[in-house]
Structure formats: structure tokens, C-alpha cells
Amino acid sequence: MRVLALLDGTLADPDSPQIRVEDLGLIRGDGVFETILVVDGKPRELTPHLDRLDRSAAMLDMQPPPRAEFERAVELVIGNWTGGEEFALKLVYTRGVEGGDGTPTGFALGMEIGAKVLKQRVEGLSAVTLDRGIDADLADRAPWLLLGAKSLSYAVNMAALREAERRGAAEVVFTTSDGSVLEGPTSTLILVRGKTLVTPPSKLGILPGTTQYALFRAAERAGWTVLVEPIQTGELYDAEGVFLASSVRKITRVTVLDGKQLPDSSALLTELQDLYESEY
Ligand code: PLP
């Protein structure tokens, strides 16, 4: 089941061609996107997602995404969804057609959540650390690298996942060249140490996660300490729990890292999932 809405307020057939072959989003990955979780007809963290779409577009020097049109497209997809109670809603915004009049392309697409993600939510997953080839200051020093923008250029992220698979794992934890933890290719890393949640800072050139933020909000209210600070790879092995969070996967525990079994964090997972769900 899929539902496609365009920015002019119309629905379109996702099985028919909609994008021009010269679209810069297609031929250069030149554009931005968001993926939002919809549960029981309600989009989670819609404003933070739209704010992040704005920030990503600004980093790419694109025109600001038209918020009212995107909100209308979101409503249209949700209103026409007849599939499962949870689905993924993708917002895409590209620089438009090469040599065209500069009008961006945008759409909202509702999609079912894959069985693999649903299984990982329950069972957890194995991950490997992979060097992202950046250092801690690169994002500030080289803004043209668009570190921390949710751009459509995710080929590197997808290649990293294939490398993980070659190494017998399902996921990746990117690190800086000097061993500081960054994020997953499509997720935020969260570590649990006692009654403290820790995630690496976005100034390292990673995406500030809406799911991580929602969890930290709930956790802080429930008396946890929440820290946004650098994490060294070695610390992952000493933690009571290592989790990957994203809108669609929610909070997933890492059970094995670089072939080493991590402590059983299933009770912690339930606690964090309950905290996260208490936000909605
Ligand atoms: N980091 C990256 C690189 C991502 O692509 C994503 C989401 O897909 C996240 C983190 C998690 O963000 P969110 O929780 O807002 O989905």
C-alpha cells in the first residue's frame, strides 16, 4: 500500500511516472528529505521534521520548502491511507529540473514499514563500527560537505549498510577517524550508563534525531540524566545498553557490536520504549 500526494494538493498514482528524468534530485541527489512515523493517523514529531527539512534545504541553498503545501500533502496522505495502523511518510524536496525554471519538486509518499524493521524492533540487531572518514571539526570547517543535512545523497549510507551485511551484521555505527562515535546511516546512537542517556553532539556533523529528542524529553521528565556529548567507541562495550533510534525503527537495541556480544539490554529497551511512547 502506498499513497502519493503532490505539493499542489492532488493525489497521484505512485505506480505511474511522476518525476522528470532531468530532475536534479534524481540525477545528482540534489535535494532533501524526511521520513516521519504515522501512528493511528497521527504524524509523530511533524514540526521537528518540517523544521529539519527547512534546515537541510537552507544548507543546500535551496528555496525554503513551502510548509503549508507540505502540511496539506501530509494530511492528504494520512486521510487516504487504508493500510496498517503504522506507516512511514516520506517528504521529498528537490532542486527541480536541470535547465528548468527553478521550481523545486516535492511530494509526500506514505509507505508500509518493512518486516525487517519490525522484527529488529523486537529482537535487536548486530552492528559493526565503520570509519566515516571525517574528523570532529570537519562539519564546521567544510560546510559544503553538507554534514548533518538530510540530503538525498544517501548512496554512501546505503553502501555502508551493504558493507555491514558483508561482515555479517545488519547495521552500522559510523565513527570519526579517531574513534569518536557518530550515528548510524539512518539512525541516532544512544548509550545508557546507569540512569543516564548519552548521544553524540550534532556539531560532529551528524543529524539531530527527532526520535532521540523525544526520548530524551520523556526521560528527563522521568528523572533520567540526558547528555549530549562525545562518546568513544570503547565506551560502547562498557555501557548497559546501546540503542539505535529513528522515526521508523523507533528504539532498537544493538545486541552484538563488531562480533562481540553486548550485555542483555532487553529490560532497558522496554523501559526506553515506554518512555518514548509516553510522549504520544
Ligand atoms: N541520522 C541519520 C543519518 C538519519 O538518516 C536518521 C533518520 O533517518 C536519523 C539519524 C534519525 O532521525 P529521526 O529520529 O529524526 O528519524
Side-chain angles (χ1 to χ4, degrees), residues 22 33 37 54 68 81 84 97 115 131 135 154 158 197 200 257:
E22 308 97 326
F33 77 106
L37 180 67
D54 283 354
W81 182 261
V97 170
D131 188 348
D135 62 55
Y154 260 42
M158 298 301 109
L197 300 180
L257 185 66

Side-chain angles (χ1 to χ4, degrees), residues 35-39 44 85-88 111-126 170-171 211 243-255 265-266 268-270 272-273 276-277:
T35 308
I36 300 167
L37 180 67
V38 180
V39 183
R44 290 193 168 176
E85 63 186 24
E86 283 194 11
F87 70 94
M111 295 169 298
E112 298 281 4
I113 297 172
K116 187 169 148 196
V117 168
L118 295 177
K119 191 162 173 262
Q120 289 176 345
R121 277 189 196 169
V122 179
E123 295 179 2
L125 49 81
S126 59
E171 265 296 340
T211 314
F243 299 89
L244 293 177
S246 75
S247 300
V248 172
R249 95 188 56 222
K250 298 185 175 175
I251 299 154
T252 305
R253 74 198 160 99
V254 179
T255 54
S265 59
S266 40
L268 257 178
L269 174 71
T270 307
L272 297 187
Q273 279 173 337
Y276 164 75
E277 292 294 338

